[in-house]
Amino acid sequence: MPPAEAYGVASFYALINLQSPCRRTVHVCDDIACRTRGADAICNDLEEQFGAEGVRREDSATAWHRSPCLGLCERGTAVFCETAGSEPVTIADAASQNLVHLLLHPEIPVPRRAESTFPGEQLGTSLPLLSRAAMPPTPGIDAYRFAGGYLALRRALQIGPEGVLAELTASRLTGRGGAGFPTWMKWKAVAEAVGNPRYVVCNGDESEPGTFKDRILMELDPFAVIEAMTIAGFATSAEHGFIYIRAEYPEAAEAIELAIKQSRSHGMLGSDILNHDLNFDIEVRRGAGAYICGEETALLNSIEGKRGEPRTKPPFPVQHGLFGRPTVINSVETLLNVLPILMYGGDTFAESARGGVTGSRLFCLSGCVSMPGIYEAQPGATLRELIDRAGGTPDNTPIHSVLVGGAAGSFVRGDEMDIELTPEGARSAGISIGSGVIMVFDETIDMANIVKRIARFFRDESCGQCVPCRVGTVRVEELIERFFKPGADRDAEIALFNDLALAMKDASICGLGQTATIAIASTFSRLRMNSATIT
Amino acid sequence: MTNPISLHGGATLTINGFPVTVSQGSTILDALNAASVETPRLCFLEGLTPVNACRLCVVELEGARTLVPACSRRAEQGMVVLTDSVRVKHARKLVLELLLSSVDLSLLTADIARWIEFYGADLERFGKKAARAETNHDACRAGSHEALKPGEIGSVATPVKIDNDLFVRDYSKCILCYRCVEACGADAQNTFAIAVAGRGFEARISTEFVIPLNESACVFCGNCIGVCPTGALMPKSEFDMREVGNWCEEKQAVTRTVCPYCGVGCNLELTVQDDRIVKASSPRDHDITNGNLCIKGRFGWEYVNSTPERRGSGEKE
Ligand SMILES: Cc1cc2nc3c(=O)[nH]c(=O)nc-3n(C[C@H](O)[C@H](O)[C@H](O)COP(=O)(O)O)c2cc1C
Ligand code: SF4
Ligand code: SF4
Ligand code: SF4
Ligand code: FES
Ligand code: FES
């Protein structure tokens, strides 16, 4: 690759350091969920006791940065820590750690963070998605097999690729990554494509603020991800799979790498899997700090070693995907659903149908709840039920608002708890479920602080390709900053915002620019933030 | 649903209510051109791969959730396209306003000026642009940006890069249309001296590690200058004359000729002011060069201005 292009690629990613190398870099999540758990105080502390963000301190050769959501929201404030010469680690509950000390003494190793756990009520129950992950962790392929692993793949081999597609079609499974596209349509399109190679890609980039379910699945149930991808390969005649895992998930990547290695040595990846004419192998690709790489076509470009700029669709990945070849791309959670579909049948899976969706979903509860974490729920559960399962707000402080669907989702008011969390329930409430984020803000939270952070998030994560998003996100950030100043002409700012939002929604290339204004718009329309409510 | 293939291999579309037929492989833009509907565009240029970046050419396509870029979207049988709907006008106006608010468009072409007027784009809709910055974006880490300055709105202002004798790069005028990168790369020159670096609003055109052009792979063909729509890339000769206020388009004439250096026969367009050549370029509609030249054709004309009879009376004595 020519050097200018290589520089262009490297400078696209937040975690590729182009300045003088640091012995240790600490990335502190100051995104919205962690802001409800003391992130601001931690950052202020670092500023006072260590130095300004992003400035390398010469005595220790270390630096710290504020970071967008690290996908550890249930155990925030989250930190991602890179140390020269060793693997990066994440730190949960950073408020209880001495980050200044870690920064001043890069020679001190950072201990591995404890495994993810589950909110207790789900342990030992037979949940379609979480049952294996919720068992006390016994790593390894034998434990996976013992827990029912490979039953789905064996069934797939019995019924053949057409049988798998028929089960998937009957199940009416839809994508869990945000768009809700029918999974069987993608698989069928690639299965019917001509020529080889073709690819199966698992989207493990999970960077939507407030989302952490795919991380937990990859960390605690890695063999299931591999089995599901193998089934996708079998159904679509693809022999190559890629799992794209964001850089901020070192523990998940390690679990997946280990599981791949073990699967290979046990003949569960490679050629003639289970003595059938099935060849499939998986490579891990790591992100490098870019939310946009979760967008499927940006992700494909990133795997190809390019800047993570989304492509214009059409053509779609099923026609023109990785390296221009037909490609199935699904999120981790979507893929995991394939296992119960094959084990118990697509029709059984579809029995749960309600509100335009089949099968259970994982919801990521964070913010002001007593037991944050992932909760599996059947279609039809309401917002209230999930928040109740998570223990409600600490001290039963009244709920001010809930962000549903992540930074690209919508805020709803504390009195809208009866919304049914299905596509139809969400649609009739004028919101979308997106990646399953349920982030609760009680009345102690400074919402202006939260809204400003959302505006900054999109500005910093825009890939910069198209004008409406590249410049629009900047104008939105400035507008929100002005909006909360005393004496602002708030009605004029809202009118300007609406103009911007319409153009960004209509003319941006990809979902980032198209959805960047939705959450903020909902604070005006639903939370009624305006001249009358802000002083 | 639209059907991608019609019986005769082409496609018939309805454009603003009128049927238009185009051949297979055409884009919506081709259909709009065939229907004589003017489409404003900034990143698209005949001969370069469309990058769909500026979004000025968007049109409303029946059945599509969002607007679609005319320049790259393939025409399909039965498409129903609107180019003058409220949504289209709104998006085009906003795209122009967003660019005007962040980029120095003082050298824009007559076309762009006309579109600004037509769509009623307001230059200061979002507030006052920051003055020319003394800092530059080159060192910006992806995913972070400088704190907002109260009362100012962010712009791409950055010092002019003058690192060689042949052309300057003023990225304060850059709209990130990617044309120069394409012209330098696989679409024409295959030199790959420049690329898009950074991300988001801090994205910019750059050499590796921001090294000066003359230390980079650049061969000074100037083909990037030829495609730049905003004057961000400019021959040093023109830049110097503009700096001292000598660049005077009323006094200029353009003469077409053939480059004298080699046998390829590249067409040259020489801009002449006060009897002196002030700039050389190449017509894009010429089938040998398609607007491209090499360093000799583009910059090797200074000797003409300095032959003894041209050097002025002082030399003749
Ligand atoms: C800006 C943006 C970010 C996205 N990030 C993710 C992500 O982190 N994980 C994910 O699974 N899908 C993400 N998506 C959705 C993907 O583009 C794609 O729809 C998904 O991977 C398809 O898989 P599914 O059908 O299994 O949902 C994102 C989309 C956009 C527009
Ligand atoms: S909408 Fe934003 S993120 Fe998407 S392509 Fe355009 S600039 Fe990039
Ligand atoms: S002058 Fe030619 S080689 Fe140099 S940057 Fe421009 S197009 Fe590339
Ligand atoms: S320098 Fe000119 S050609 Fe290159 S991207 Fe900027 S505006 Fe386009
Ligand atoms: S980890 Fe901090 S907001 Fe998600
Ligand atoms: S001209 Fe079509 S997007 Fe720029």
Side-chain angles (χ1 to χ4, degrees), chain A residues 150 153 198-203 218 221-234 238-245 253 255-264 268-271 273 278-285 303 322 335:
Chain A
Y150 305 115
L153 179 58
R198 50 187 85 185
Y199 300 98
V200 171
V201 175
C202 171
N203 186 343
M218 288 188 284
D221 206 4
F223 289 97
V225 182
I226 293 170
E227 183 183 353
M229 286 181 72
T230 309
I231 294 170
F234 175 66
E239 298 192 346
H240 307 277
F242 288 90
I243 307 186
Y244 188 92
I245 306 174
I256 292 277
E257 295 268 18
L258 234 125
I260 290 178
K261 229 181 254 161
Q262 248 193 343
S263 300
R264 282 192 192 131
M268 297 309 297
L269 280 178
S271 44
I273 295 168
L278 170 58
N279 306 325
F280 190 73
D281 211 338
I282 299 175
E283 285 175 59
V284 174
R285 286 289 182 275
I303 294 182
L322 189 61
L335 284 167

Side-chain angles (χ1 to χ4, degrees), chain A residues 292 310 462-466 469-470 508-510 512-513:
Chain A
I292 190 56
S462 164
C463 84
Q465 216 184 163
C466 67
C469 172
R470 177 178 77 236
S508 295
I509 295 178
C510 85
L512 189 150

Side-chain angles (χ1 to χ4, degrees), chain A residues 483-495:
Chain A
F483 184 86
F484 287 108
K485 290 252 156 67
D489 184 351
R490 301 214 166 89
D491 297 330
E493 298 291 8
I494 292 178

Side-chain angles (χ1 to χ4, degrees), chain A residues 444-518:
Chain A
T444 64
I445 303 296
D446 171 9
M447 290 307 288
N449 178 27
I450 300 296
V451 177
K452 285 181 194 171
R453 183 63 182 92
I454 292 177
R456 175 152 71 86
F457 174 80
F458 285 110
R459 186 234 162 111
D460 281 342
E461 298 301 328
S462 164
C463 84
Q465 216 184 163
C466 67
V467 175
C469 172
R470 177 178 77 236
V471 192
T473 52
V474 177
R475 297 295 168 251
V476 169
E477 190 197 19
E478 293 161 349
L479 188 153
I480 293 302
E481 204 58 48
R482 293 194 299 266
F483 184 86
F484 287 108
K485 290 252 156 67
D489 184 351
R490 301 214 166 89
D491 297 330
E493 298 291 8
I494 292 178
L496 186 60
F497 173 85
N498 289 338
D499 268 4
L500 269 168
L502 179 60
M504 289 168 70
K505 217 181 260 183
D506 248 356
S508 295
I509 295 178
C510 85
L512 189 150
Q514 289 161 10
T515 61
T517 52
I518 293 180

Side-chain angles (χ1 to χ4, degrees), chain A residues 175-179 181 186 203 205-208 214 291-292 294-296 329-331 334 511-512:
Chain A
R176 307 301 203 223
F181 192 80
K186 292 189 186 177
N203 186 343
D205 192 54
E206 190 166 66
S207 310
E208 183 68 41
D214 292 347
Y291 164 68
I292 190 56
E295 196 282 336
E296 53 190 13
I329 174 162
N330 279 124
S331 76
T334 311
L512 189 150

Side-chain angles (χ1 to χ4, degrees), chain A residues 4-5 11 50 92 118 142 149 226 246 290 374 397 440 461-462 502:
Chain A
E5 240 171 73
S11 58
F50 178 79
F118 284 86
D142 293 330
I226 293 170
R246 68 181 297 202
I374 52 175
T397 317
V440 179
E461 298 301 328
S462 164
L502 179 60

Side-chain angles (χ1 to χ4, degrees), chain B residues 162-228:
Chain B
I162 308 175
D163 57 12
N164 66 82
D165 295 336
L166 298 180
F167 75 102
V168 305
R169 296 173 292 152
D170 180 3
Y171 291 126
S172 302
K173 298 190 174 73
C174 175
I175 58 167
L176 271 186
C177 68
Y178 291 56
R179 284 186 186 179
C180 54
V181 177
E182 295 201 303
C184 186
D187 280 352
Q189 189 57 32
N190 277 305
T191 297
F192 303 95
I194 47 175
V196 183
R199 187 168 88 200
F201 193 64
E202 283 68 32
R204 65 264 167 189
I205 307 294
S206 184
T207 54
E208 62 273 22
F209 293 98
V210 208
I211 59 171
L213 266 188
N214 47 8
E215 294 170 20
S216 78
C218 176
V219 296
F220 294 97
C221 63
N223 290 333
C224 50
I225 308 173
V227 295
C228 180

